[in-house]
Every structure is written in structure tokens, then in C-alpha cells.
């Protein structure tokens, strides 16, 4: 069976591991140049080729995977002057970014007449899971398009859940991130409050770890809190704020109250506003501690 040609845009923290699994499992791969050359050169050494623009990448691909920051970047890659659509050919585009569902659905409708099918396949877990090929992937799209993309997604995924039509993957991803980022905000405040009352993070952890409130996210968060491991959960606070802003937009669009979401968003907005946007999410604990006069 001849494998389809895969294009990949966004070989950053998550995308590099995903792309390495794709090329390592025998898919012909083209990646687009990136300001950080190290992952691009690594993938080229593994057998990938490189394109200079989305249009050039589209010309060499049948399926294109996007793993970028959010909807503005996705729209530029698809519809920019030298974007994927400018190649004038049919494509299946799989958006693994965390994007605004309303924008995803609009783009899918606009691109369909040109023969471009857009499905959303956002990710859960960490860059380490991307390298290991064990990501969780939520896929929204027409069943036939999802079936076509599935073998490629399986190259970097441990679990794949079909959530419904295009846009539902990004909706589910925002709900998933609401839970995880909500945990982060609560952990940070609980730790600061405990410290104010004389409880150390070690005592806090001795009670929570192994109990009903323990979970995988707690464990990676506390690798920073206790061990100061900067690689424990490499997801920037500013991206957390972006995702919570998308969640607020989603709540507004469906007419749903979202008071806890607003509180979580404000925690991340405060961290970004005080200059910590490039810190990783577990470092929110330090930001909240510092604001409460704790070191």
C-alpha cells in the first residue's frame, strides 16, 4: 500500500515529536521551515524534506497536519497570500492546534468549495507523550475524512476519540483545558494559602498524592513545585490564557454562564500581565505565591 504524502507545519514542543513519529513510521514527510532550526534539521536527518512556504508544502502533500498556536495562525497558513489554499489543489488538513471552534467551522465551510477538507484533531498530554507517540487526540470531522486521517494520527497517538462533526474536537479540547487549567489555578491558590497558614508544599503533597484528588496533571504540576523540574509540563501560561479566552468566547456563543471559567482566566491573565507569560503552567504556583508575599 502506497502511503499518502504528509505535510507538517508547526514542529515546536509538541509538533516535533509528532512529526518524528510520522516520518519514523514510514510516511513521506515535508515540514515547513521554522525559526528554531534544531527540530527542522533533526527531522531532515530522519528523512523529511523541507518547504519554504505553506503553498510549497501543499504542492508536495496529500494530507497536511497543523500544530500551531491558535486560530489566527491557522487562518494565515490556510488562506494567506502564499497559504495552503493558494496551491489550488485538493487537500485534507488536520488542525491539531487548540483553536476557536467557531473559526474552525467557518474555515471548513469556506475551504470546501476548493476541495480542501478541514478537520480538527487537538491534543492532550505532554511533549514527552508526543515523542513517545502516546498523545490523546480528539477528532472532529466527517467520518470518511477522519478514517482517511486516522492512520497518520495513529502514528503519534495512544488514544483517538471521534467527537462528532468538524469543530467538536476543538470544543472538547477547550473543555479539557478548562479542567486542567482550573486545577492549576486551584493548586496555586491552595499552596499559597497553605504556606500563609504554615503548611509546606511537602505536607500538602503528602496528603493529596495517592488520595482521591491525585491525578496525572497533579503529578506533573508538582514535579515543578517539589522538584523544580522545568520540563515537567512545558505549556506556556500565555497559551493557557489564550485557551481560556477561547472558552469565554464559546460560552458567549452558546449563551452559557461560565463564572468559574472567568475566574480561571483571570488567574492566567494576572500572571501574563505581571510578565510571566512565557513561564510554564506549573510556575503559576510561584506567581500566586509571590503576589501573596511568599517565596
Amino acid at each position: 500500500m502506497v502511503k499518502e504524502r504528509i505535510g507538517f507545519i508547526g514542529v515546536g514542543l509538541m509538533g516535533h515529536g509528532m512529526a518524528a513519529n510520522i516520518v519514523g513510521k514510514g510516511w513521506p514527510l515535508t515540514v515547513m521551515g521554522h525559526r528554531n532550526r534544531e527540530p527542522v534539521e533533526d527531522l531532515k536527518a530522519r528523512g523529511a524534506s523541507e518547504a519554504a512556504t505553506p503553498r510549497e508544502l501543499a504542492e508536495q502533500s496529500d494530507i497536511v497536519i497543523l500544530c500551531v498556536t491558535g486560530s489566527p495562525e491557522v487562518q494565515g497558513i490556510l488562506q494567506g497570500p502564499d497559504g495552503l489554499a493558494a496551491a489550488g489543489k485538493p487537500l485534507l488538513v488536520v488542525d491539531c492546534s487548540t483553536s476557536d471552534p467557531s473559526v474552525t467551522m467557518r474555515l471548513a465551510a469556506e475551504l470546501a468549495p476548493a476541495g480542501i477538507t478541514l478537520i480538527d484533531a487537538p491534543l492532550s498530554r505532554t511533549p514527552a507523550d508526543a515523542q513517545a507517540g502516546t498523545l490523546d487526540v480528539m477528532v472532529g470531522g466527517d467520518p470518511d475524512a477522519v478514517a482517511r486521517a486516522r492512520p497518520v494520527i495513529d502514528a503519534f497517538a495512544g488514544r483517538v476519540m471521534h467527537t462528532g462533526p468538524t469543530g467538536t474536537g476543538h470544543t472538547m479540547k477547550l473543555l479539557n483545558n478548562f479542567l486542567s487549567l482550573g486545577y492549576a489555578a486551584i493548586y496555586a491558590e491552595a499552596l499559597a494559602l497553605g504556606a500563609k497558614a504554615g503548611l509546606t508544599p511537602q505536607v500538602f503533597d503528602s496528603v493529596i498524592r495517592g488520595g482521591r484528588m491525585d491525578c496525572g496533571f497533579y503529578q506533573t504540576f508538582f514535579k515543578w513545585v517539589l522538584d523544580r523540574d522545568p520540563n515537567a509540563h512545558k505549556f506556556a501560561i500565555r497559551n493557557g490564557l489564550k485557551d481560556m479566552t477561547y472558552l469565554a468566547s464559546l460560552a458567549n456563543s452558546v449563551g452559557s454562564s461560565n463564572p468559574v471559567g472567568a475566574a480561571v482566566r483571570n488567574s492566567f491573565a494576572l500572571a501574563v500581565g505581571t510578565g510571566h507569560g512565557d513561564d510554564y503552567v506549573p510556575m503559576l504556583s510561584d506567581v500566586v505565591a509571590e503576589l501573596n508575599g511568599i517565596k
Side-chain angles (χ1 to χ4, degrees), residues 178 244 258-265:
F178 175 30
M244 293 307 300
N258 190 216
V260 175
V264 174
R265 183 190 178 280

Side-chain angles (χ1 to χ4, degrees), residues 202-280:
Q202 288 74 17
V203 169
F204 184 98
D205 181 67
S206 72
V207 173
I208 302 301
R209 190 175 296 271
R212 291 184 66 191
M213 300 310 298
D214 194 0
C215 65
F217 184 86
Y218 174 88
Q219 292 167 18
T220 57
F221 193 97
F222 269 72
K223 281 184 181 179
W224 168 255
V225 173
L226 298 178
D227 303 329
R228 312 312 277 179
D229 179 359
N231 298 313
H233 194 122
K234 296 171 75 172
F235 185 77
I237 287 173
R238 71 171 68 258
N239 286 335
L241 175 59
K242 181 263 295 180
D243 292 352
M244 293 307 300
T245 301
Y246 284 166
L247 182 80
S249 176
L250 173 64
N252 287 336
S253 72
V254 299
S256 177
S257 64
N258 190 216
V260 175
V264 174
R265 183 190 178 280
N266 284 338
S267 293
F268 281 81
L270 184 62
V272 171
T274 52
H276 298 279
D278 292 328
D279 290 351
Y280 294 138

Side-chain angles (χ1 to χ4, degrees), residues 92 141-149:
L92 173 59
D142 175 82
D144 289 341
V146 172
R148 181 182 168 194

Side-chain angles (χ1 to χ4, degrees), residues 63-133:
I63 299 174
V64 176
I65 311 289
L66 307 181
C67 189
V68 294
T69 302
S71 291
E73 292 79 10
V74 171
Q75 183 164 350
I77 288 166
L78 284 163
Q79 297 180 315
D82 213 10
L84 296 174
K89 57 171 287 190
L91 287 171
L92 173 59
V93 179
V94 183
D95 181 12
C96 294
S97 318
T98 300
S99 299
D100 183 329
S102 64
V103 176
T104 301
M105 290 184 283
R106 174 178 59 78
L107 287 172
E110 291 175 357
L111 292 164
I116 298 175
T117 300
L118 175 64
I119 66 174
D120 46 325
L123 317 164
S124 183
R125 296 190 180 268
T126 68
D129 292 293
Q131 292 285 346

